[in-house]
Amino acid sequence: MAGRFADSGLKSGLGRFLMASEHSKPVTAIYPGSFDPVTNGHLDLIVRGAGIFDRLIVAVARNLDKDPLFAVKERIEMLDVVTNDLPNVEAEAFDGLLMDYARAKNASVILRGIRAVSDYEYELQMAWMNRKIEPDIETVFMMPAEAYSYLSSRLVKELARFGGLPKGLVPRLVEERLRAKVG
Ligand code: PNS
């Protein structure tokens, strides 16, 4: 298949990605986001990504125009604990442009989750913009398990604030941290 792309003269994006996999070059993927806090939906995607890519960096964005509940350090600590049994997964913070960070990490893939059609427009806009900045890095979309299709960190925080967070939406550690944070 890669040969077909090479012959067709497609030199960017998918063609390069497939050609790289043909030569067994290890693929580093970055899964960026706010992870405030990590949910079971994120974790589902991390497990799926870890099964496909050689190295998966869960990258927590600093300086977003958001009012976070957890400090970046706390978010990374939670990610470290909940991904402890996945040897090819690591979590760290990044500043500035995602594409600059991805280049610095020699990553060839950005992994993003799509839950429903409503996510698609925003994700597509971001993926296109990122491709404009760096055509050699592909955005790969994956779906979490259906059970998490309605789950978001924002809703988790809201439910936790009002003491109504159902079981099974976040890892137990996150549940404890949420309880300690918002009562
Ligand atoms: O969890 P989120 O809020 O959906 O994550 C959004 C994130 C962090 C992936 C996005 O805001 C981002 O990449 N920020 C870094 C700055 C950047 O590169 N912006 C241009 C994106 S086209």
Side-chain angles (χ1 to χ4, degrees):
M1 187 152 153
R4 188 154 59 84
F5 279 100
D7 294 346
S8 73
L10 178 60
K11 292 228 169 58
S12 66
L14 184 62
R16 255 197 278 258
F17 175 61
L18 291 171
M19 281 185 260
S21 67
E22 196 176 59
H23 298 135
S24 303
K25 186 178 151 227
V27 175
T28 296
I30 291 176
Y31 178 30
S34 337
F35 304 101
D36 182 38
V38 59
T39 67
N40 282 346
H42 294 131
L43 199 50
D44 179 284
L45 217 76
I46 291 170
V47 171
R48 288 172 201 278
I52 291 177
F53 304 111
D54 299 290
R55 183 181 178 211
L56 182 66
I57 305 174
V58 183
V60 179
R62 282 192 217 272
N63 305 330
L64 288 184
D65 296 333
K66 289 181 179 176
D67 187 18
L69 179 63
F70 291 98
V72 169
K73 198 166 163 251
E74 294 175 294
R75 286 180 252 163
I76 290 173
E77 194 202 327
M78 287 186 273
L79 279 163
D80 279 340
V81 174
V82 301
T83 61
N84 189 37
D85 58 345
L86 299 168
N88 59 338
V89 175
E90 62 208 87
E92 65 177 29
F94 77 98
D95 295 291
L97 274 187
L98 176 61
M99 287 296 111
D100 287 340
Y101 172 72
R103 274 191 286 243
K105 290 285 165 186
N106 275 324
S108 48
V109 170
I110 300 297
L111 174 64
R112 290 287 288 174
I114 290 205
R115 292 161 298 186
V117 176
S118 48
D119 284 338
Y120 186 69
E121 213 168 317
Y122 168 65
E123 292 298 333
L124 192 66
Q125 188 183 20
M126 211 158 52
W128 266 330
M129 188 57 87
N130 282 332
R131 180 181 283 168
K132 180 86 182 155
I133 300 168
E134 179 50 81
D136 285 349
I137 298 177
E138 278 302 321
T139 298
V140 171
F141 296 124
M142 289 177 76
M143 302 170 296
E146 203 179 342
Y148 305 127
S149 58
Y150 55 87
L151 181 56
S152 72
S153 298
R154 185 183 63 79
L155 281 181
V156 160
K157 284 183 281 190
E158 196 168 303
L159 291 168
R161 275 193 187 106
F162 294 111
L165 182 63
K167 294 266 170 231
L169 299 186
V170 294
R172 189 156 338 143
L173 168 77
V174 175
E175 211 178 300
E176 287 163 13
R177 297 288 167 89
L178 275 165
R179 210 175 301 128
K181 195 71 104 173
V182 298

